[in-house]
Amino acid sequence: MRLRTALATLLLTAVPLIGRPAAAATPVTIAYAQRTQTWELVLTDGDVVKVPEALAVAPRDAVNAGARAAFLISGDGRHFFYFRKSDGRFTERTLHGEERAIRNITVDTTGEEWPSVSDDGSFVITGTSAPGLGALVDLRKGRTLPLPGGTDQWSFAGFSPDSKRLLMQGALEDRVTVFDRGLRTRLRAKTRLSPIALANDYVTAAATVGSWPKFRKLRLLNLRTGKASGTVTVGLPRGQYIDDLDFDKAGHLVVRSKTKTGVAVYRVSKTTGKATPLRTMVRPDAKVWVLPGDDEYEPWTEKK
């Protein structure tokens, strides 16, 4: 699906935008973000919304001055996150809502900590360059959670598609653990695999196999039994690789892959690896672009 050319430009201010009719058949969401002179949101109806209050790079007094500041969009296309110029705090916003700053995540540690957000935009977690995690924030309840106990070397692997579970790996014991949003342990398995996706059954996980960044194979892991499937080779076109792996809400495997012109999305058979094209997206003529559900850096993010 070719993303439509922008039709109009709007200015996003600290005052809520005037919303479109609530009865609209198809809600307008964020198709992607792009950075030209400033960050901009390109909506699914073609409109462009500027976000002038979002930092593009870390300021001079940050640990990594000049490093690119994160700009993220939740997988549902309804929430966006950025470090704001006024105080450097990581901030959540919807198209028709006001800013909500997350006080314990700031631009000062850009390049040392990396935020990720859940598909529904209600949970934020940061990984760090040191062993362990940074902040875990439940925006729905407005509270920061303590880090999970047992070891300080947890690494975050991903959210379930319904945003109700977090998949983490403990580096010391080769263990994978499923936590709920209150960071209570729900399931644990020992494995040498490094799964990066968790299905909505909270039992099935998926891991890429091979050498980074040229992944073309995967394995499935049953977190209840600890057993892994055989290796499945994904039937991607020549020159394309598994750049992003996830499950959709129905439990299908979904792969995103960088192409010569942008990004392609495929549904992948768990048994044969057959890749069925779902849509393609052509990269805009911008320095940087970000898709809903992206982590801070994806292969297609920056223009080379």
Side-chain angles (χ1 to χ4, degrees):
M1 176 180 68
R2 182 181 291 271
L3 296 173
R4 301 197 310 168
T5 303
L7 303 178
T9 300
L10 306 174
L11 178 65
L12 188 63
T13 67
V15 179
L17 294 174
I18 297 175
R20 293 176 174 81
T26 303
V28 175
T29 58
I30 303 166
Y32 62 91
Q34 61 186 13
R35 199 185 82 203
T36 52
Q37 298 303 314
T38 187
W39 278 106
E40 300 172 339
L41 303 173
V42 179
L43 309 185
T44 50
D45 67 353
D47 283 350
V48 175
V49 177
K50 291 186 177 181
V51 192
E53 60 269 36
L55 279 167
V57 298
R60 293 180 181 178
D61 58 352
V63 174
N64 294 294
R68 190 185 122 198
F71 192 106
L72 300 178
I73 307 167
S74 61
D76 62 9
R78 298 178 183 274
H79 305 256
F80 58 103
F81 298 76
Y82 55 88
F83 291 101
R84 64 184 182 188
K85 294 177 180 177
S86 61
D87 59 7
R89 289 183 179 179
F90 199 53
T91 301
E92 181 269 342
R93 186 93 185 264
T94 61
L95 289 173
H96 313 301
E98 296 182 350
E99 291 182 329
R100 179 164 51 170
I102 304 171
R103 64 183 181 180
N104 51 342
I105 304 177
T106 70
V107 75
D108 298 331
T109 56
T110 289
E112 303 296 327
E113 295 192 5
W114 303 276
S116 297
V117 303
S118 61
D119 189 78
D120 66 358
S122 67
F123 202 102
V124 179
I125 185 169
T126 60
T128 73
S129 58
L133 302 171
L136 295 90
V137 184
D138 189 333
L139 295 175
R140 187 181 298 163
K141 296 184 176 180
R143 67 190 185 102
T144 300
L145 295 113
L147 298 178
T151 173
D152 64 352
Q153 295 200 34
W154 290 105
S155 61
F156 175 66
F159 293 99
S160 59
D162 62 9
S163 304
K164 293 181 179 180
R165 295 289 188 272
L166 295 80
L167 180 66
M168 298 193 203
Q169 189 149 18
L172 294 181
E173 301 177 18
D174 289 332
R175 70 182 183 191
V176 176
T177 303
V178 176
F179 293 94
D180 63 20
R181 290 173 59 105
L183 294 188
R184 294 176 290 266
T185 299
R186 294 301 186 183
L187 202 59
R188 179 176 294 163
K190 293 197 71 173
T191 178
R192 293 185 178 181
L193 294 176
S194 297
I196 59 174
L198 176 67
N200 267 349
D201 62 6
Y202 314 140
V203 172
T204 308
T208 50
V209 176
S211 300
W212 182 89
K214 297 184 177 182
F215 295 117
R216 292 181 65 91
K217 299 179 180 180
L218 61 84
R219 297 181 73 182
L220 298 177
L221 177 66
N222 185 312
L223 298 175
R224 183 169 288 126
T225 65
K227 294 182 178 180
S229 72
T231 300
V232 176
T233 300
V234 179
L236 295 171
R238 185 175 182 178
Q240 289 183 220
Y241 302 97
I242 302 171
D243 295 319
D244 204 349
L245 175 64
D246 212 340
F247 291 91
D248 64 16
K249 288 182 170 59
H252 302 115
L253 270 175
V254 176
V255 164
R256 290 195 291 176
S257 179
K258 182 179 180 180
T259 68
K260 291 182 179 179
T261 59
V263 180
V265 182
Y266 303 89
R267 179 178 294 163
V268 176
S269 167
K270 299 174 184 176
T271 54
T272 68
K274 179 181 178 181
T276 302
L278 297 179
R279 61 187 180 277
T280 59
M281 290 157 281
V282 177
R283 125 179 281 297
D285 185 19
K287 296 177 182 177
V288 180
W289 74 317
V290 176
L291 297 172
D294 274 358
D295 284 328
E296 185 168 358
Y297 290 98
E298 300 283 4
W300 51 78
T301 300
E302 298 193 37
K303 189 174 184 179
K304 302 298 184 183

